[in-house]
């Protein structure tokens, strides 16, 4: 939370919010490869960019028919010395030509022998190298369009317009467990595909997307062992389209990476608080990381909380509850106390007034970036605001002796700047979805 009273950075309290950043609470992890994968034997190292998988011979593959060089064989049975020399020369020549042809074919078609640099990707058929940032950018660069014809479409594109603009591409089977992964050209990394109710038709579709048309092998779902912090999920309502077009990104939803600490005000005392393992993380299905629309996620704890003087519930507003702009609202968090500053050890809290959405959407403030799922709060002159590390924290109001959760801290342009108030998720818009999730996960 930032207090921009003109005092230089460093004066006043600063604080750290790790409430939503679980990684710091664990001891340092064993070394991982720079791309975040656990170390595997060399043959399992992921390529930094997608490569075409070498074709493997399946039962459906046309068998290679090996024939004896009959005429040569006949020639080699001759007893004459000249014929023997000719035979040896011909045999050597044939082997040499064969080796050269094989080397050229291997050089052109084997992915491991790619001519491309690490920042480039090879167009499958022609061997042309293109920058990996051009892969799935909506414009075809490869001679046969390989860079655009296997792209997954982000969720909002699928829902909004069916637009074929692509941001993700290429699927593969990774590591000793053959984890199905998809490459995000936007994020320049591979992510595992995770899905409840996975079925054989998805296996078939995945194999087809990788170029295996006839045979496929179906396996049980497996826990992710690559340490991935986010994954790709299927939009099952997307109809009968290719698998890679149905994939969209789901951030940070592995409950193993999260722990909830309750009853503490200082981060340094975190381990004195009660600790609760997270059973499930439920991100809003329509969260848009670009616009921050629907910026809310729920956590179901493995064990219920015990309420006491330090740990108390907050009430959810009814859906459609109208907010009185005069109603005082409070934000709290361990976030930075000034823009780009350090976070705080102590929990801070501040009063911020709500700002009408039509006003917050004016040209001078956020120029129509505020959706109905967002709510603005703060002072137009700056001074008091939420800041980096506060996101996920509450915007609450006290009415009739009850604290209500009006918003969850989401975003803003800088901290405590004039005409740039804090933006919060509008919880009344999410109440129905929250109840639905509570019912489905109880
Ligand atoms: C953040 O990154 C953040 N000034 C939260 C709130 C605001 C900016 C950034 C609003 O957690």
């Amino acid at each position: 939370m930032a207090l921009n009273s003109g005092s230089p950075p460093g004066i006043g309290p600063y604080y750290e919010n790790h409430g939503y950043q679980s990684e710091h609470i664990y001891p340092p992890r064993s070394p991982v490869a720079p791309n975040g994968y656990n170390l595997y034997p060399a043959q399992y190292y992921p390529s930094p960019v997608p490569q075409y998988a070498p074709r493997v011979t399946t039962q459906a593959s046309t068998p290679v028919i090996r024939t004896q060089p009959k005429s040569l064989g006949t020639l080699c049975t001759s007893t004459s010395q000249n014929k023997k020399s000719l035979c040896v020369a011909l045999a050597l020549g044939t082997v040499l030509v064969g080796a050269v042809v094989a080397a050229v074919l291997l050089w052109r078609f084997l992915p491991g022998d790619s001519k491309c640099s690490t920042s480039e990707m090879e167009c499958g058929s022609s061997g042309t190298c293109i920058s990996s940032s051009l892969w799935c950018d909506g414009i075809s660069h490869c001679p046969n369009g390989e860079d655009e014809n296997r792209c997954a479409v982000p969720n909002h594109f699928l829902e909004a317009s069916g637009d074929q603009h692509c941001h993700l591409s290429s699927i593969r089977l990774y590591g000793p467990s053959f984890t199905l992964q998809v490459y995000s050209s936007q994020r320049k990394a591979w992510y595992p595909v995770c899905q409840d109710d996975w079925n054989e038709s998805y296996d078939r579709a995945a194999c087809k997307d990788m170029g295996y048309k006839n045979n496929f092998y179906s396996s049980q779902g497996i826990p992710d062992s690559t340490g991935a912090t986010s994954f790709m999920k299927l939009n099952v309502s997307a109809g009968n389209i290719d698998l890679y077009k149905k994939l969209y990104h789901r951030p940070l939803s592995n409950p193993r990476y999260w722990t909830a600490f309750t009853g503490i005000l200082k981060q340094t005392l975190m381990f004195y608080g009660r600790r609760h393992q997270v059973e499930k993380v439920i991100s809003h299905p329509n969260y848009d990381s670009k616009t921050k629309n629907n910026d809310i996620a729920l956590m179901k704890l493995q064990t219920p909380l015990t309420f006491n003087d330090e740990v108390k519930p907050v009430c959810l507003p009814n859906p459609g509850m109208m907010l009185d702009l005069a109603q005082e609202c409070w934000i709290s968090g361990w976030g930075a106390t000034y823009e780009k500053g350090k976070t705080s050890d102590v929990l801070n809290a501040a009063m911020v007034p709500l700002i009408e959405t039509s006003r917050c959407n004016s040209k001078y403030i956020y120029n129509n970036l505020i959706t109905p799922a967002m709510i603005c709060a703060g002072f137009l002159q700056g001074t008091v605001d939420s800041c980096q590390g506060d996101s996920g924290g509450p915007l609450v109001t006290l009415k009739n002796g009850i604290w209500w959760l009006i918003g969850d801290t989401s975003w803003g342009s800088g901290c405590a700047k004039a005409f740039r108030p804090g933006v919060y998720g509008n919880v009344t818009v999410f109440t129905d979805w929250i109840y639905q999730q509570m019912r489905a996960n109880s």
Side-chain angles (χ1 to χ4, degrees), residues 21-218:
Q21 298 167 15
S22 62
E23 62 267 35
H24 302 290
I25 59 176
Y26 291 112
R29 295 205 297 166
S30 56
V32 291
N35 53 19
Y37 288 89
N38 284 344
L39 291 173
Y40 281 112
Q43 70 266 33
Y44 294 120
Y45 278 7
S47 157
V49 293
Q51 304 279 325
Y52 276 80
R55 294 270 168 170
V56 289
T57 309
T58 65
Q59 284 157 5
S61 307
T62 315
V64 178
I65 298 162
R66 295 178 202 282
T67 51
Q68 291 290 325
K70 277 195 182 130
S71 54
L72 194 64
T74 313
L75 195 62
C76 288
T77 57
S78 165
T79 52
S80 104
Q81 194 59 37
N82 278 353
K83 278 186 181 171
K84 259 192 188 158
S85 311
L86 187 65
C87 161
V88 169
L90 269 174
L92 279 176
T94 310
V95 167
L96 209 66
V97 169
V100 169
V101 169
V104 168
L105 286 175
L106 282 174
W107 177 72
R108 275 195 58 122
F109 295 113
L110 267 194
D113 290 341
S114 172
K115 306 180 287 299
C116 306
S117 71
T118 49
S119 63
E120 290 178 319
M121 285 166 60
E122 191 173 339
C123 302
S125 54
S126 63
T128 310
C129 299
I130 65 162
S131 162
S132 40
S133 62
L134 301 177
W135 206 265
C136 279
D137 67 350
I139 304 158
S140 188
H141 300 275
C142 288
N144 296 312
E146 295 93 335
D147 55 324
E148 297 300 324
N149 64 12
R150 290 241 222 130
C151 303
V153 185
N155 197 28
H156 58 277
F157 280 115
L158 287 171
E159 279 171 8
S161 61
D163 188 336
Q164 291 302 298
H165 191 81
C166 301
H167 287 270
L168 308 157
S169 75
S170 292
I171 60 174
R172 70 176 184 185
L173 297 171
Y174 173 73
S177 309
F178 291 75
T179 313
L180 183 65
Q181 292 188 332
V182 65
Y183 184 77
S184 164
S185 57
Q186 225 178 12
R187 293 158 197 260
K188 309 247 176 302
W190 290 93
Y191 293 98
V193 176
C194 296
Q195 183 70 36
D196 294 332
D197 307 321
W198 182 265
N199 64 43
E200 214 179 82
S201 72
Y202 299 140
D203 287 318
R204 193 185 298 277
C207 291
K208 194 168 155 242
D209 281 354
M210 282 183 280
Y212 298 107
K213 294 216 167 55
N214 300 318
N215 279 6
F216 72 97
Y217 174 75
S218 216

Side-chain angles (χ1 to χ4, degrees), residues 312-360:
K312 292 183 178 179
V314 66
C315 287
L316 288 172
N318 290 338
M321 192 166 112
M322 293 299 286
L323 295 169
D324 178 359
L325 289 180
Q327 184 78 30
E328 279 192 349
C329 286
W330 290 78
I331 49 175
S332 52
W334 287 270
T337 48
Y338 54 93
E339 199 174 322
K340 301 204 175 95
K342 286 190 191 167
T343 52
S344 171
D345 185 34
V346 295
L347 180 67
N348 285 296
M351 197 284 285
V352 280
L354 296 175
I355 300 171
E356 218 178 338
T357 298
S358 58
R359 191 161 185 219
C360 204

